Amino acid sequence: MYRTEGPLVFYKGLTPTLIAIFPYAGFQFSFYNSLKHMYEWVTPAEGRKNENSKNLLCGSGAGVISKTLTYPLDLLKKRLQVGGFEQARVTFGQVRSYQGLLDCAGQVFREEGMQGFYKGLSPSLLKAAFSTGFMFFWYEFFCNLFHHMKKAGS
């Protein structure tokens, strides 16, 4: 790859990644917080014994919502990254070539419509639900653990 396209080939898809990562992370924390408040509002006080399941459930929901909102940029990133492998992909069907982020977005919209920006969303949602759910589960677990350790040491 380096020999045929130069060092910039390793940075294909970097622009949509950088554009998407900040809103994605922000959405995760924002929706996690909102879902936790909603969970506490909906669940009766006696039903709130297990905080771990709340953290896992709300984290999973936050991941799904965040991924859905930022998925179009993820799709563009992936399409830009597979560019350059046209010969290897000929047997898989239509081979597309893009001149950059805006060209990629324009071609997706023209050829596939709005639903084209969400192709492959389902497996990404599954991954986002598990990874974000466990991220918040462990985040809250260790925050509580350190809080109790600090409290016990005082």
Side-chain angles (χ1 to χ4, degrees):
M1 288 173 30
Y2 177 81
R3 287 186 201 131
T4 58
E5 298 183 54
L8 293 179
V9 72
F10 298 113
Y11 297 96
K12 286 183 177 182
L14 181 62
T15 303
T17 300
L18 292 176
I19 293 170
I21 193 65
F22 298 111
Y24 181 68
F27 283 149
Q28 281 182 322
F29 282 94
S30 177
F31 286 117
Y32 175 67
N33 193 37
S34 297
L35 289 171
K36 272 185 17 177
H37 288 300
M38 202 179 315
Y39 181 93
E40 290 167 3
W41 182 71
V42 170
T43 308
E46 61 273 357
R48 289 190 227 153
K49 303 238 187 294
N50 191 350
E51 291 287 309
N52 291 332
S53 62
K54 174 186 80 171
N55 298 333
L56 187 63
L57 183 66
C58 293
S60 294
V64 167
I65 295 167
S66 302
K67 180 54 82 173
T68 302
L69 292 173
T70 59
Y71 188 75
L73 288 167
D74 200 35
L75 176 115
L76 297 175
K77 171 195 77 166
K78 289 172 186 167
R79 292 212 180 170
L80 288 169
Q81 287 175 333
V82 298
F85 295 105
E86 285 81 11
Q87 296 301 335
R89 292 183 293 133
V90 168
T91 58
F92 293 115
Q94 186 178 13
V95 177
R96 295 182 174 99
S97 180
Y98 306 108
Q99 301 304 313
L101 178 62
L102 294 177
D103 178 51
C104 183
Q107 282 189 48
V108 169
F109 184 72
R110 275 190 309 277
E111 296 171 13
E112 304 169 59
M114 280 304 294
Q115 67 270 20
F117 288 103
Y118 290 93
K119 283 187 173 178
L121 178 63
S122 299
S124 288
L125 290 181
L126 189 61
K127 178 191 173 251
F130 280 110
S131 64
T132 310
F134 282 115
M135 178 186 79
F136 281 110
F137 170 85
W138 289 114
Y139 169 77
E140 295 288 355
F141 177 84
F142 283 111
C143 283
N144 289 332
L145 178 69
F146 294 143
H147 176 72
H148 290 331
M149 286 171 58
K150 183 178 178 183
K151 199 175 185 181
S154 297

Short mmCIF file of all heavy atoms in Angstrom, two decimals, residues 77-105:
data_model
loop_
_atom_site.label_atom_id
_atom_site.label_comp_id
_atom_site.label_asym_id
_atom_site.label_seq_id
_atom_site.Cartn_x
_atom_site.Cartn_y
_atom_site.Cartn_z
N LYS A 77 -16.26 6.63 6.95
CA LYS A 77 -14.88 6.27 7.35
C LYS A 77 -14.51 4.90 6.77
O LYS A 77 -13.46 4.73 6.17
CB LYS A 77 -14.76 6.25 8.87
CG LYS A 77 -13.44 5.68 9.36
CD LYS A 77 -13.46 5.35 10.82
CE LYS A 77 -14.21 4.07 11.02
NZ LYS A 77 -14.06 3.44 12.31
N LYS A 78 -15.40 3.94 6.96
CA LYS A 78 -15.11 2.58 6.49
C LYS A 78 -15.00 2.52 4.98
O LYS A 78 -14.12 1.83 4.44
CB LYS A 78 -16.18 1.62 6.98
CG LYS A 78 -16.10 1.38 8.48
CD LYS A 78 -17.27 0.58 8.98
CE LYS A 78 -17.22 0.49 10.49
NZ LYS A 78 -18.44 0.00 11.08
N ARG A 79 -15.85 3.24 4.30
CA ARG A 79 -15.79 3.22 2.83
C ARG A 79 -14.51 3.88 2.32
O ARG A 79 -13.94 3.43 1.34
CB ARG A 79 -17.02 3.90 2.25
CG ARG A 79 -18.27 3.09 2.50
CD ARG A 79 -19.26 3.23 1.41
NE ARG A 79 -20.44 2.44 1.68
CZ ARG A 79 -21.54 2.54 0.98
NH1 ARG A 79 -21.62 3.39 -0.02
NH2 ARG A 79 -22.57 1.78 1.26
N LEU A 80 -14.09 4.94 2.98
CA LEU A 80 -12.85 5.58 2.57
C LEU A 80 -11.65 4.67 2.87
O LEU A 80 -10.68 4.64 2.11
CB LEU A 80 -12.68 6.93 3.28
CG LEU A 80 -13.62 8.03 2.81
CD1 LEU A 80 -13.55 9.23 3.75
CD2 LEU A 80 -13.29 8.45 1.38
N GLN A 81 -11.71 3.94 3.96
CA GLN A 81 -10.59 3.08 4.35
C GLN A 81 -10.41 1.89 3.42
O GLN A 81 -9.29 1.43 3.22
CB GLN A 81 -10.76 2.60 5.78
CG GLN A 81 -10.50 3.69 6.79
CD GLN A 81 -10.77 3.24 8.21
OE1 GLN A 81 -11.58 2.36 8.45
NE2 GLN A 81 -10.10 3.88 9.16
N VAL A 82 -11.48 1.36 2.85
CA VAL A 82 -11.33 0.21 1.96
C VAL A 82 -10.97 0.62 0.55
O VAL A 82 -10.71 -0.23 -0.30
CB VAL A 82 -12.58 -0.72 1.94
CG1 VAL A 82 -12.84 -1.29 3.30
CG2 VAL A 82 -13.78 -0.01 1.39
N GLY A 83 -10.94 1.92 0.28
CA GLY A 83 -10.52 2.40 -1.03
C GLY A 83 -9.09 1.95 -1.31
O GLY A 83 -8.25 1.91 -0.41
N GLY A 84 -8.79 1.61 -2.54
CA GLY A 84 -7.45 1.15 -2.88
C GLY A 84 -7.36 -0.35 -3.02
O GLY A 84 -6.38 -0.87 -3.50
N PHE A 85 -8.38 -1.04 -2.58
CA PHE A 85 -8.39 -2.51 -2.69
C PHE A 85 -9.38 -2.96 -3.77
O PHE A 85 -10.00 -4.00 -3.66
CB PHE A 85 -8.80 -3.12 -1.34
CG PHE A 85 -7.83 -2.86 -0.24
CD1 PHE A 85 -8.12 -1.94 0.74
CD2 PHE A 85 -6.62 -3.53 -0.20
CE1 PHE A 85 -7.22 -1.68 1.75
CE2 PHE A 85 -5.72 -3.27 0.82
CZ PHE A 85 -6.01 -2.35 1.79
N GLU A 86 -9.52 -2.14 -4.82
CA GLU A 86 -10.51 -2.42 -5.85
C GLU A 86 -10.32 -3.79 -6.50
O GLU A 86 -11.28 -4.52 -6.73
CB GLU A 86 -10.50 -1.32 -6.93
CG GLU A 86 -11.14 -0.03 -6.50
CD GLU A 86 -10.23 0.86 -5.66
OE1 GLU A 86 -9.00 0.57 -5.57
OE2 GLU A 86 -10.73 1.83 -5.08
N GLN A 87 -9.07 -4.15 -6.80
CA GLN A 87 -8.82 -5.43 -7.47
C GLN A 87 -9.23 -6.61 -6.59
O GLN A 87 -9.78 -7.59 -7.07
CB GLN A 87 -7.33 -5.55 -7.83
CG GLN A 87 -6.86 -4.53 -8.84
CD GLN A 87 -7.63 -4.62 -10.15
OE1 GLN A 87 -8.16 -5.67 -10.51
NE2 GLN A 87 -7.70 -3.52 -10.88
N ALA A 88 -9.02 -6.49 -5.30
CA ALA A 88 -9.37 -7.58 -4.38
C ALA A 88 -10.88 -7.68 -4.17
O ALA A 88 -11.38 -8.74 -3.83
CB ALA A 88 -8.67 -7.37 -3.04
N ARG A 89 -11.59 -6.57 -4.40
CA ARG A 89 -13.02 -6.57 -4.13
C ARG A 89 -13.89 -6.77 -5.37
O ARG A 89 -15.11 -6.79 -5.27
CB ARG A 89 -13.43 -5.24 -3.47
CG ARG A 89 -12.85 -5.11 -2.08
CD ARG A 89 -13.29 -3.83 -1.39
NE ARG A 89 -12.72 -2.68 -2.05
CZ ARG A 89 -13.41 -1.60 -2.40
NH1 ARG A 89 -14.68 -1.51 -2.14
NH2 ARG A 89 -12.82 -0.60 -3.00
N VAL A 90 -13.29 -6.94 -6.52
CA VAL A 90 -14.04 -7.08 -7.77
C VAL A 90 -15.04 -8.23 -7.69
O VAL A 90 -16.16 -8.11 -8.17
CB VAL A 90 -13.08 -7.25 -8.97
CG1 VAL A 90 -13.81 -7.67 -10.22
CG2 VAL A 90 -12.33 -5.96 -9.21
N THR A 91 -14.66 -9.32 -7.07
CA THR A 91 -15.54 -10.49 -7.02
C THR A 91 -16.70 -10.32 -6.03
O THR A 91 -17.63 -11.10 -6.04
CB THR A 91 -14.75 -11.75 -6.61
OG1 THR A 91 -14.14 -11.52 -5.35
CG2 THR A 91 -13.70 -12.08 -7.66
N PHE A 92 -16.66 -9.29 -5.20
CA PHE A 92 -17.72 -9.08 -4.20
C PHE A 92 -18.86 -8.22 -4.71
O PHE A 92 -19.79 -7.93 -3.98
CB PHE A 92 -17.14 -8.45 -2.93
CG PHE A 92 -16.21 -9.35 -2.20
CD1 PHE A 92 -14.87 -9.02 -2.07
CD2 PHE A 92 -16.65 -10.54 -1.65
CE1 PHE A 92 -14.00 -9.85 -1.40
CE2 PHE A 92 -15.78 -11.38 -0.98
CZ PHE A 92 -14.45 -11.03 -0.86
N GLY A 93 -18.79 -7.73 -5.93
CA GLY A 93 -19.86 -6.90 -6.46
C GLY A 93 -19.33 -5.55 -6.90
O GLY A 93 -18.20 -5.43 -7.34
N GLN A 94 -20.18 -4.53 -6.77
CA GLN A 94 -19.84 -3.20 -7.24
C GLN A 94 -18.65 -2.61 -6.47
O GLN A 94 -18.60 -2.68 -5.25
CB GLN A 94 -21.04 -2.27 -7.09
CG GLN A 94 -20.83 -0.92 -7.69
CD GLN A 94 -22.07 -0.05 -7.57
OE1 GLN A 94 -23.00 -0.36 -6.85
NE2 GLN A 94 -22.09 1.04 -8.30
N VAL A 95 -17.71 -2.04 -7.21
CA VAL A 95 -16.54 -1.42 -6.62
C VAL A 95 -16.67 0.08 -6.81
O VAL A 95 -16.86 0.56 -7.92
CB VAL A 95 -15.24 -1.94 -7.27
CG1 VAL A 95 -14.03 -1.23 -6.69
CG2 VAL A 95 -15.12 -3.43 -7.10
N ARG A 96 -16.58 0.82 -5.71
CA ARG A 96 -16.71 2.27 -5.77
C ARG A 96 -15.36 2.91 -5.48
O ARG A 96 -14.56 2.38 -4.72
CB ARG A 96 -17.74 2.74 -4.77
CG ARG A 96 -19.12 2.25 -5.09
CD ARG A 96 -20.12 2.80 -4.06
NE ARG A 96 -21.48 2.48 -4.43
CZ ARG A 96 -22.16 1.46 -3.90
NH1 ARG A 96 -21.60 0.70 -3.00
NH2 ARG A 96 -23.40 1.24 -4.27
N SER A 97 -15.17 4.09 -6.03
CA SER A 97 -13.95 4.86 -5.78
C SER A 97 -14.37 6.26 -5.35
O SER A 97 -15.27 6.85 -5.94
CB SER A 97 -13.11 4.91 -7.05
OG SER A 97 -11.93 5.63 -6.82
N TYR A 98 -13.71 6.78 -4.33
CA TYR A 98 -14.07 8.09 -3.77
C TYR A 98 -12.86 9.02 -3.79
O TYR A 98 -11.74 8.59 -3.58
CB TYR A 98 -14.59 7.94 -2.34
CG TYR A 98 -15.71 6.95 -2.20
CD1 TYR A 98 -15.52 5.71 -1.60
CD2 TYR A 98 -16.98 7.24 -2.70
CE1 TYR A 98 -16.55 4.81 -1.47
CE2 TYR A 98 -18.02 6.33 -2.58
CZ TYR A 98 -17.81 5.12 -1.97
OH TYR A 98 -18.82 4.22 -1.86
N GLN A 99 -13.14 10.30 -3.99
CA GLN A 99 -12.09 11.31 -4.01
C GLN A 99 -11.89 12.00 -2.66
O GLN A 99 -11.06 12.86 -2.53
CB GLN A 99 -12.42 12.37 -5.07
CG GLN A 99 -12.55 11.81 -6.47
CD GLN A 99 -11.30 11.06 -6.90
OE1 GLN A 99 -10.19 11.55 -6.73
NE2 GLN A 99 -11.48 9.86 -7.44
N GLY A 100 -12.70 11.64 -1.69
CA GLY A 100 -12.60 12.25 -0.36
C GLY A 100 -13.92 12.12 0.38
O GLY A 100 -14.88 11.49 -0.10
N LEU A 101 -14.01 12.75 1.53
CA LEU A 101 -15.18 12.64 2.40
C LEU A 101 -16.45 13.16 1.74
O LEU A 101 -17.47 12.47 1.73
CB LEU A 101 -14.92 13.39 3.71
CG LEU A 101 -16.06 13.43 4.72
CD1 LEU A 101 -16.42 12.03 5.17
CD2 LEU A 101 -15.69 14.30 5.90
N LEU A 102 -16.40 14.35 1.17
CA LEU A 102 -17.61 14.93 0.56
C LEU A 102 -18.05 14.15 -0.68
O LEU A 102 -19.25 13.96 -0.90
CB LEU A 102 -17.38 16.41 0.23
CG LEU A 102 -17.19 17.32 1.43
CD1 LEU A 102 -16.90 18.74 0.99
CD2 LEU A 102 -18.39 17.27 2.35
N ASP A 103 -17.08 13.69 -1.46
CA ASP A 103 -17.40 12.88 -2.64
C ASP A 103 -18.06 11.57 -2.21
O ASP A 103 -19.05 11.14 -2.81
CB ASP A 103 -16.14 12.59 -3.46
CG ASP A 103 -16.42 11.72 -4.67
OD1 ASP A 103 -17.35 12.06 -5.44
OD2 ASP A 103 -15.73 10.70 -4.84
N CYS A 104 -17.54 10.96 -1.18
CA CYS A 104 -18.09 9.70 -0.65
C CYS A 104 -19.53 9.93 -0.18
O CYS A 104 -20.43 9.17 -0.53
CB CYS A 104 -17.21 9.18 0.48
SG CYS A 104 -17.74 7.60 1.16
N ALA A 105 -19.75 10.98 0.61
CA ALA A 105 -21.10 11.28 1.11
C ALA A 105 -22.05 11.55 -0.04
O ALA A 105 -23.20 11.07 -0.04
CB ALA A 105 -21.04 12.47 2.06
#
